[in-house]
Amino acid sequence: METSVFNRFIHDVVANESVWLLQAMDGMFAMVESADRKSFLAVWDKESDAQNAVSDEWQDYSVVHMDLTEWIHWLNEMAEDEAWIGVCPDEEGRILPVEAVKLLEILVGERKAQRN
């Protein structure tokens, strides 16, 4: 995992209290699939990076904002399902994979640290 990108993601999500996702018209969210067919929910810390991902298979998706409180609620639910998150997918589909439960733990810790 690229530590600098991941650390920036954590810091920015908490500081800006938001994440960005891509949503299809039918309410489905953009997913990235690995070579071993594992699925990851794609999320970004910057709206512009999410907007740049709207192409090819995601050309019919829209960039949507989710506030941090709602995102933490989602992560709680995804952690129960042992889901994985694909942090900051790049133009080539590379992601920083992280388990929802681990991302939840890190975000809650960072949120407490930034509030103090």
Side-chain angles (χ1 to χ4, degrees), residues 42-54:
V43 297
W44 293 264
D45 57 323
K46 297 183 183 322
E47 180 181 15
S48 59
D49 290 347
Q51 188 63 51
N52 289 337
V54 178

Side-chain angles (χ1 to χ4, degrees), residues 20-24 26-35 37-44 50 53-62 64 71 74-75 78 81-90 92-98 100:
W20 299 91
L21 302 99
L22 298 183
Q23 184 176 12
D26 60 5
M28 298 299 293
F29 289 89
M31 302 290 287
V32 177
E33 191 171 280
S34 65
R37 313 218 29 100
K38 187 175 211 168
S39 294
F40 302 84
L41 176 65
V43 297
W44 293 264
V54 178
S55 63
D56 299 327
E57 72 268 15
W58 293 338
Q59 69 184 357
D60 295 328
Y61 285 66
S62 300
V64 294
W71 178 238
W74 270 41
L75 285 174
M78 288 187 284
D81 295 335
E82 299 180 1
W84 284 74
I85 309 301
V87 173
C88 300
D90 67 12
E92 296 163 18
R94 291 182 306 232
I95 60 168
L96 301 173
V98 62

